[in-house]
């Protein structure tokens, strides 16, 4: 029997350990993914069916081609297993019928070992080649042929589906294929003419009467006191041009600018599978040339044009994107910024490099043992198919799905990658805001309120916790948020 003072000491120790770890969140395990034949079937039936979701950082076509090549190995393995089963039945008509199960199991083991051996040889050859020199495969089945045709006709990410994620506080809008949503920021200003500036001696310039609301639609003021006409597409085109210009020449030790900027057409994921070919063509025109172009989709309730700025680094394992929407109506301009980040690849995929590097008798011994386990697993699945579990954890099994998102890590645990992701998002956000600022100045728009809001966003957007805002109170518009505080104005900036 334990003494009372010992029990009391143990209870205090447990409470102290509990209090010490109260602030530490439990580490979430990485999401479960598929490998082997289940992966091939899932990619063919979910990722490359209908209209595939664009993939960023890695090409989708080589993936489908290698899945088709893996499907060839699957049919070869099934052929060897069929021969092994026939050999087992043949033993029943010999003088040793008791050997029939052993012959069949040995044939099954040989089929799995041959499958692993050929797959390993292809993996070694693939890791030594580039994507451009990869083996071109042709699908055996109708589904695999359709999958190959679907990804070959896929254009570079100009049409993206979006989904609405309902959560506590406010909904979050996620562009499928772009990764996790980091935070969302909105800027809204009344488009009014610029106020007169002070001269160098401190005296104001010529007085220009402030327009009334009804005067916004009746341009009776002088040309210098009016806002120059512009459309959201004019603003989007200007920002894209400014982002593509890049910066001043940098020293040799600086990396090249990897920033991409282009227009995209965003459409709800619920409409994704119902897009007809004519509408698909019109969405491409909408993304590249805007709603006023000939043949563009002009239904704003179905699809709208967004600006996409993207940086791909770490050999494709890190993709940072910023989607910006411009809305201008009734002399009110609204700019909505939604950054996304694709986390690095799943650790299971990184293990493929080590598997390709292994060779010799040690690899064959592991393959022999693994082939025996494959036979046991095959017999287990005969009694428990488990078809409902043959999908990655991050696949909701409804609507379009992104292969790159489903096979990413749950969080970014590398400090260098995390710092790069924050730097890319902040850099793109700042350049976008500066380009909009320059556009508004050129069109004689009062930018006092705009600069106040961008200053608050840039100062507070760094409060991020592994891909999401660390606290809801730090988001714009939240109760008690510091983003609602108007910073002090200096230098005549309102």
């Amino acid at each position: 029997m334990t003494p009372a003072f010992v029990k009391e000491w143990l209870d205090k120790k447990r409470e102290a350990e509990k209090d010490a770890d109260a602030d530490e969140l439990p580490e979430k395990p990485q999401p479960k993914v598929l490998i082997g034949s289940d992966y091939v079937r899932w990619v063919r039936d979910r990722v490359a069916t209908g209209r595939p979701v664009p993939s960023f950082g890695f090409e989708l076509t080589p993936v489908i081609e290698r899945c088709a090549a893996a499907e060839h190995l699957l049919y070869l393995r099934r052929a060897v297993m069929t021969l092994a089963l026939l050999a087992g039945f043949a033993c029943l008509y010999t003088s040793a019928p008791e050997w029939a199960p052993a012959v069949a199991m040995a044939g099954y083991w040989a089929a799995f070992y041959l499958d692993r051996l050929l797959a390993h040889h292809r993996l070694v050859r693939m890791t030594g080649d580039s994507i451009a020199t990869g083996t071109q495969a042709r699908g055996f089945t109708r589904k695999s042929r359709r999958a190959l045709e679907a990804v070959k006709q896929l254009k570079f990410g100009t049409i993206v589906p979006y989904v609405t994620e309902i959560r506590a506080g406010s909904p979050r809008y996620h562009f499928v294929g772009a990764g996790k949503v980091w935070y969302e920021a909105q800027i809204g200003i009344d488009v009014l003419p610029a106020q007169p500036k002070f001269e160098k001696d401190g005296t104001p310039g010529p007085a220009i009467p402030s327009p009334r609301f009804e005067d916004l639609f009746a341009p009776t003021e002088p040309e210098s006191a009016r806002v120059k006409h512009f459309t959201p597409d004019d603003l989007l085109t200007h920002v894209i041009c400014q982002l593509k210009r890049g910066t001043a020449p940098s020293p040799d030790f600086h990396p090249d600018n990897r920033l991409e900027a282009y227009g995209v057409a965003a459409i709800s994921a619920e409409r994704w599978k119902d897009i007809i070919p004519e509408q698909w063509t019109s969405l491409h025109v909408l993304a590249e040339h805007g709603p006023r172009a000939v043949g563009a989709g002009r239904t704003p309730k179905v699809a709208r044009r967004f600006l996409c700025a993207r940086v791909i680094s770490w050999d494709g394992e890190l993709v940072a994107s910023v989607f910006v929407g411009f809305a201008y109506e009734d002399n009110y301009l609204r700019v909505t910024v939604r950054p996304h980040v694709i986390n690095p690849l799943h650790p299971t995929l990184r293990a493929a490099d080590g598997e390709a590097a292994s060779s010799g008798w040690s690899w064959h011994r592991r393959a022999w043992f693994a082939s025996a386990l494959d036979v046991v697993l095959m017999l287990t699945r005969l009694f428990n198919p488990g078809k409902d579990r043959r999908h990655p954890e991050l696949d909701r099994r409804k609507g379009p799905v992104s292969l790159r998102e489903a096979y990413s890590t749950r969080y970014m645990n590398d400090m260098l990658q995390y710092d790069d992701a924050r730097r890319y998002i902040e850099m793109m956000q700042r350049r976008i805001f500066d380009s909009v600022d320059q556009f508004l100045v050129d069109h004689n728009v009062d930018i006092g309120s705009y600069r106040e809001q961008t200053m608050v966003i840039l100062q507070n957007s760094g409060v991020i916790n592994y891909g999401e805002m660390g606290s809801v109170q730090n988001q714009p518009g939240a109760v008690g948020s510091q983003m609602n505080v108007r910073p002090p104005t200096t230098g005549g900036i309102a």
Side-chain angles (χ1 to χ4, degrees), residues 252-484:
D252 295 337
F253 58 83
H254 281 186
D256 295 333
N257 182 20
R258 296 184 295 266
L259 177 60
E260 303 171 349
Y262 52 92
V264 298
I267 186 171
S268 174
E270 298 177 355
R271 305 176 184 267
W272 185 258
K273 64 179 180 179
D274 299 327
I275 301 177
I276 59 178
E278 294 78 8
Q279 187 180 14
W280 185 258
T281 303
S282 66
L283 290 176
H284 278 297
V285 178
L286 170 65
E288 296 175 1
H289 305 289
R292 294 189 174 187
V294 178
R298 297 170 181 253
T299 309
K301 293 182 179 180
V302 176
R304 294 187 183 181
R305 193 185 189 199
F306 281 77
L307 163 67
C308 177
R310 175 171 287 118
V311 175
I312 302 175
S313 64
W314 289 76
D315 296 329
E317 288 211 35
L318 176 61
V319 182
S321 306
V322 175
F323 292 85
V324 187
F326 300 102
Y328 181 37
E329 187 176 1
D330 292 337
N331 287 80
Y332 186 79
L333 175 65
R334 183 177 177 86
V335 181
T336 305
V337 181
R338 295 186 176 95
H340 291 62
V341 174
I342 300 181
N343 286 343
L345 289 175
H346 197 278
T348 302
L349 299 182
R350 297 200 199 100
D353 293 334
E355 183 67 20
S358 60
S359 59
W361 285 108
S362 60
W363 181 90
H364 287 281
R365 286 194 297 268
R366 291 196 303 271
W368 294 340
F369 180 71
S371 300
L373 295 180
D374 289 337
V375 175
V376 176
L377 181 61
M378 180 199 65
L379 297 177
T380 304
R381 282 188 172 180
L382 291 177
F383 301 98
N384 184 20
K387 294 182 179 180
D388 295 337
R389 296 193 298 269
R390 296 183 184 179
H391 60 87
E393 181 181 338
L394 299 182
D395 180 17
R396 300 179 179 179
R397 291 182 290 173
K398 61 179 182 179
V401 63
S402 169
L403 173 66
R404 183 65 178 84
E405 289 181 351
Y407 277 77
S408 298
T409 56
R410 194 183 300 273
Y411 46 83
M412 194 178 301
N413 55 4
D414 188 282
M415 181 189 69
L416 303 180
Q417 289 180 337
Y418 179 66
D419 289 345
D420 284 350
R422 291 186 58 177
R423 175 167 55 89
Y424 294 143
I425 294 297
E426 293 172 3
M427 177 265 293
M428 289 186 289
Q429 214 173 215
R430 183 176 294 276
R431 292 185 181 178
I432 290 171
F433 289 157
D434 290 345
S435 301
V436 175
D437 186 300
Q438 178 186 352
F439 181 87
L440 296 178
V441 170
D442 294 340
H443 287 73
N444 197 36
V445 177
D446 183 19
I447 58 174
S449 176
Y450 174 82
R451 287 183 175 177
E452 287 182 1
Q453 297 180 58
T454 56
M455 186 185 304
V456 175
I457 292 175
L458 293 175
Q459 288 177 350
N460 292 273
S461 61
V463 187
I464 304 171
N465 183 14
Y466 287 107
E468 296 181 2
M469 296 297 294
S471 173
V472 177
Q473 290 187 351
N474 288 324
Q475 299 185 24
V479 178
S481 172
Q482 295 180 358
M483 288 189 171
N484 295 328

